[in-house]
Amino acid sequence: MTATIVASATRLTDGIDPELGLLLPEGFCRTFRVMPYAEVDGQLLVAAADVADPIVERVVDELITRPFVLVRHTVNEINGAIDAVYPPLEENLESPEARRARTQMAQMLTRSGLVTEDQLRTATLEYSRTGDPLGDILVSHGAISEDVLVAALSELHQLQRVGLTDFEPDTDVARALPEALAQELQVVPVARTGTEFLLAVARPLGREDLARVESALGKPVRQLLANRTDLDQLVQRVHAHHYAEIATRLVMETRPEESAHVVVSPTQKAFFVCALIVTVLVGVVWPTKTMIGLVALCSLAYLSVSIYKFRLTLRALGTHLEYDVTDEELADLDERILPIYTILVPLYKEAGIVPRLVRDMNALDYPKTRLDVKLLCEEDDVETIAKIQSMNLPPHFHLVVVPDSLPKTKPKACNYGLQLSKGKYCVIFDAEDRPDPDQLKKAFVTFTRVDRNVACVQAKLNHFNQDQNMLTAWFANEYSMHFELILPAMGASESPIPLGGTSNHFVTSTLRELGAWDPFNVTEDADLGIRLHREGYRTAMIDSTTLEEANSVVPNWIRQRSRWNKGYYQTWLVHMRNPFQLLSQVGLKGFLSFNLTMGSAFVLLLNPIFWALTTLYVFTQAGFIEQLFPGIVFYVASAMLFVGNFIFIYLNVAGSLQRGEFGITGTALLSPLYWGLMSLAAWKGFIQLFTNPFYWEKTEHGLDEEH
Amino acid sequence: MSAPVIEPTPAPSEPVIKRTRERLAGTVQAVGHRPHDIPRRRWESLAIFAFFAVAYIWFGYWLVVEMHVVSFETLDRLNRSLMVWHNDPAKLSAIGFDYPPLTTLLISPLTLVPALARSLAIVPVASALFAAGTMVILNSMLRRAQVLTALRYAVLLAVGANPLVLLYGAGGSRQFIWISLVMVAVGALFAWYVTADIRFIMISGLAFSVATLAGYSSLIWFAIGALMIGSVLSRLGARGEEIEGTTVGFAAPTAYVIALWTAFNLILLSNPFAWITDSSDAASSIGVEHFTFLELAQYTGQLVLYGAPLAIVVLPALIFTGFRSNGFALWLAVMLAASILAPAASVALGLTDAPMLMRNALLILLFAVIGAIWVARSSGTQNAVVSAILVALLIGSIPWTFHAMKTYRYQNLESSFAAAISTRESQEGARTPTGGTVGTASEQAMADFIRANISGKSTILTDNAQTYAVMLLTGDPALFFDRVDRSDGPWQEAAKDPAGYDVRYLLLSTDTSEDLLSQLYSDAVDGTDTLLPEVFSTPRYTLVGVTPDYQRPDSSSPAAPTPALDDTTSGGSVQ
């Protein structure tokens, strides 16, 4: 595309073709001071204030796909034209001072050779889209380090700097400022003189914020610019105890009835003991009838769970029940309105995976200046902490070290990270997760479209290593059915959704209001989904997928699955402490849905018993087994054996077909073998519920070497 | 010549992970990337279903209850259904192996209430619901073919009023059970071809699996469907993985039910393929009329000409349309051709005891209608013209087929049906062209006597394979000591020593050719056995009393004991 600088006979003042005026986005026009306005002899005339700036010519060339010429106009003429095409909104306008500061920063960095023209162009383009500080953009791109930016800002604002890398704070001084304010403004008092506090700040404070700090401290402050990463670490160190207490005890103390720190409540204990005694007594008096009753009860449970899942699947099959955002809608999204998005990534002994994690987080299509990635490490995981520190990550990555205390669980780490979160929305990803790059934007757009009571948006999960072996293919079959069919149908019917382990996006304030995750529940995600529903909030599904690593080794898989099952039992016990209250909160439909969903974990316990009875009967024709299945019980059990089992196999096939994963449909036909493993894990989890209820069976990641 | 362009190879540490969009880029059937389907109209479907169901039940009531045109095969299946719920003990095995199992199981809800079961009024319900379902499927296909509303309803009425459809939709026959399921399956394939929505593949696969257990010949169209799916996807440029996965998804349910049923046959009958070789359709095929190739061709032509003349027009039209880059038309032509050739093929393979029956034209007719609907869809602006021609042909074939039913050589109750409509007189006692006698007066009289005079479980010993109609009309199978109660072994012991098993009566067929008990007590059937006094008799049944001290003089066993669960049927649909 040729771009010749001319003084055209046709000027802006002759009028703007409204269609041409909209060819370039508003932010772009204001940043680069350009405005397309007419077409003459097949060439687009673009008014420009600084036609000599090579960056202007290049960026216009990148956006406009037809021949154009830059025509010199005055700044006032162009600003007037932009205001005419895009009526100005105050929050989107750059003040003259800010523009001057940005220009100074750009000049300072380019003249000193710290950034190249290309880096500046890319950063300025991003600035035109987001309006975020140019320096922050350059740091987030890795063009300059945070220290260089701090030095430049220090020069621009004539503020002193302070190094905090090895700083040992005086805790009395540091805690003189309330944690909430320190967190919000990213400031920490580092010293006190007779007349003032020395305050380490990430960025120079505005007048109002300064007044709030001085009011809280009761003394004037002198601002010292600090590296954001170092400051963030300092804030954490100063308030670590406070964060740890809240992370562990908030749900337990503010909502004890919803906390799993007590596995079985006293009332439940009494109920179960009484039920056991009655069953034993009745069994002694009428042994056959009692056994028939128990078999009938189990068959009914089987049938109910199966019918419920089948109904959900049929509803979702071949349709799009989840929210979707098209590529066009994403392209039209005004990035200036994007909020800060917190990403919580719990890590434990996963040093090797950190570089890949950083790569995948950076691959997200979201302005990095608005990302708040919390890498949550346990204090005793020295290797992972060292790895993260050694990578000198840009400041949108935050190393969060969770103090060593019990329970050492993922939800506790997340609760800890949540207190440090700056985002309006937050999401959890596991270390090995690979979300679709547009997932954050899709979640944000969905939040703006759904009802106000939607507090969570769940993305779909699946696996990137489904082809590794039979186990990973089965796992992918299962996830396809769960996330492509069952959860979308549950979301569409506004049933309580047991959230998936990752890729659940929350409104941060609502999550905090609910007390966040229960650190004593080993499926805190499922539990949180139910708690959200009980409080009147809803969960929506979005059509975006996060790929995870499927467990490829049986013992590791069983450990993970036993934890999930234990968590389901925990969650059921917690929410059924007061069934009537649950019923009144979620309604009959929600109540049934909750019990049938959690019931699937209990059905897994029954499987081996029924399989054993069936096998025994086939080989021995034992009369006592025949007696256990009279009339209708036999019909229900037969239907489940011959029809129900196949339907479940076929639902696995259906999930994979729905997802477009045709390569693993054959494996789905062998899923009864997988159910055997599931039952084994279910029993392990069930036993552990009594022997070690809060133990977190850690899943080992990175077993798939090829990926 | 330019230098070759070398694509950069990703480093091992930087693998290419396919994101959702990239992954689905080459997928033909990706959800959300396909044409919109017609909107669902549940109320319209429900209204059509209700209209045809009520119409067929009403007409069927007149036909069965007032005109006495009733198929004994239906009474047999209803009795088996009744035994599933109300026998003593209730046994699922009552469904037996000689009919495809779902022809009995699917109508079993009708016999939940014994009072209803003993009323002949439920006979038409056993087929009317499935015939009405078929009309709903045809309506969906017509909607997907964008046929005008008025013409759409005209097509449905013209199909619904076809005499073959009326007889088999209202007479309780099992034909419509499996045919309706095949229609669901083919309708789903129709929808899949239009929308590329993989959900329809699964629906079709499931429908074929159920259809297979309701009529084994469904497998023919299942096989054609599987080939069609592979061929269509291949033409659309789908990857091998997608073709394979889709075909697996389609075939899995049918493969499963065949495997399961074969395993049951192996375990319980020691013959894994008994469901093919020993079914009611095939069991007595030995000895049936022999046909030359020319005769088979001639009767096939007659079947199409008199039963489904529409096919004569539609088959060439489909082939013509198919050769104009319309793959589905060709596949429908193959399906229609298969329906035309299947009756002759089953005779040639010895898989039928009732060769070249006129009822075979029912499926040909319905496939011809589907083919015509597709031709209408493919004709673009001529859609209305083609639809109108279809209506005209269907209406024109009504008197043609009706007339043929009176004299067609191979038939069940077609001539009685035609006579009932023509004369409005009861067909009780009338003879069919194949020599059968129409009506159930004998059975009803015997059942009424038993209901009025006999009580107590397992009091009446009988061969239920021959006396099922009486058992059904009593509404109380628990009264009978039959071959299902404790399987054939104990029953045969009881047959030799009825008093020893606390039996008080023997219910015997007067036709001793197939009734095992009648063969054992032929004197009693004749009324010459003084130790077994006749209590009540009708032209087809005799009820004799058994005293507590009765000893059978001759202890020889009955002829040809049958396997435990292999209940032989009445051997024909008309007695």
Side-chain angles (χ1 to χ4, degrees), chain A residues 26-33 53 55-56 59 62-63 94 99 102-103 105-107 109-110 115-141 143 335:
Chain A
E26 180 188 0
F28 185 92
C29 293
R30 292 193 189 282
T31 303
F32 296 102
R33 286 180 168 159
D53 187 345
I55 289 183
V56 172
V59 292
E62 281 171 8
L63 283 192
E94 188 182 28
R99 187 174 183 93
R102 176 166 64 81
T103 315
M105 169 75 75
Q107 285 172 351
L109 294 172
T110 45
V115 295
T116 65
E117 190 183 287
D118 269 353
Q119 288 170 328
L120 184 63
R121 180 173 53 83
T122 309
T124 312
L125 270 174
E126 184 165 325
Y127 168 80
S128 74
R129 293 196 307 272
T130 63
D132 287 338
L134 186 67
D136 290 359
I137 294 171
L138 285 164
V139 172
S140 72
H141 288 188
E335 293 196 347

Side-chain angles (χ1 to χ4, degrees), chain A residues 317-318 320 327 359 434-438 545 547 635 642 646 650 653-654 657-659 661-663 665 669, chain B residues 14 17 19-21 23-24 27 31 34 84 91-92 197-199 202 241-242 245-246 249 253 256 264:
Chain A
L317 208 56
H320 238 148
D327 291 349
R359 178 198 69 186
R434 289 158 197 188
D436 272 347
D438 54 12
T545 305
L547 295 176
Y635 294 160
F642 300 118
F646 178 74
Y650 201 56
V653 175
L657 291 180
Q658 171 94 349
R659 187 173 157 71
E661 290 291 359
F662 298 96
T665 47
L669 297 176
Chain B
E14 293 286 328
I17 303 291
R19 307 292 182 182
T20 304
R21 190 177 298 115
R23 191 174 52 78
L24 293 177
T27 304
V31 176
R34 53 195 171 216
V84 167
K91 276 200 168 180
L92 192 60
D197 186 340
I198 199 156
R199 172 180 47 152
M202 290 181 259
E241 200 175 66
E242 183 174 357
T246 308
Y256 170 74
F264 274 177

Side-chain angles (χ1 to χ4, degrees), chain A residues 542-595:
Chain A
I542 53 168
D543 189 19
S544 176
T545 305
T546 299
L547 295 176
E548 298 187 314
E549 182 190 348
N551 236 312
S552 55
V553 180
V554 172
N556 197 32
W557 182 93
I558 288 187
R559 274 199 299 276
Q560 182 187 49
R561 190 52 63 105
S562 70
R563 173 168 62 78
W564 292 0
N565 281 297
K566 183 171 70 175
Y568 264 43
Y569 305 138
Q570 271 186 326
T571 304
W572 184 80
L573 286 167
V574 165
H575 293 281
M576 288 296 282
R577 282 174 188 167
N578 189 339
F580 298 106
Q581 192 185 23
L582 178 67
L583 183 63
S584 70
Q585 284 178 314
V586 300
L588 183 62
K589 194 177 80 172
F591 184 81
L592 290 175
S593 172
F594 166 72
N595 277 286

Side-chain angles (χ1 to χ4, degrees), chain A residues 231-339:
Chain A
L231 192 57
D232 177 54
Q233 292 300 306
L234 184 60
V235 171
Q236 287 185 45
R237 265 185 290 156
V238 169
H239 299 288
H241 180 71
H242 169 74
Y243 294 143
E245 277 293 296
I246 287 188
T248 309
R249 311 188 66 83
L250 185 64
V251 173
M252 189 170 75
E253 288 179 356
T254 60
R255 299 165 177 265
E257 72 287 356
E258 292 178 8
S259 168
H261 73 285
V262 174
V263 178
V264 185
S265 71
T267 316
Q268 285 176 323
K269 270 184 196 157
F271 174 80
F272 288 131
V273 168
C274 288
L276 189 66
I277 291 170
V278 169
T279 309
V280 170
L281 287 178
V282 172
V284 169
V285 181
W286 301 288
T288 308
K289 284 184 179 169
T290 306
M291 288 305 288
I292 290 171
L294 288 174
V295 167
L297 203 64
C298 294
S299 300
L300 188 66
Y302 253 113
L303 191 68
S304 307
V305 169
S306 306
I307 289 174
Y308 179 64
K309 284 198 168 182
F310 188 52
R311 200 175 141 263
L312 287 173
T313 309
L314 280 189
R315 182 167 182 201
L317 208 56
T319 54
H320 238 148
L321 293 177
E322 57 273 37
Y323 287 90
D324 194 16
V325 183
T326 64
D327 291 349
E328 293 73 29
E329 288 169 325
L330 286 179
D332 290 343
L333 189 61
D334 182 353
E335 293 196 347
R336 288 173 300 187
I337 65 166
L338 291 176

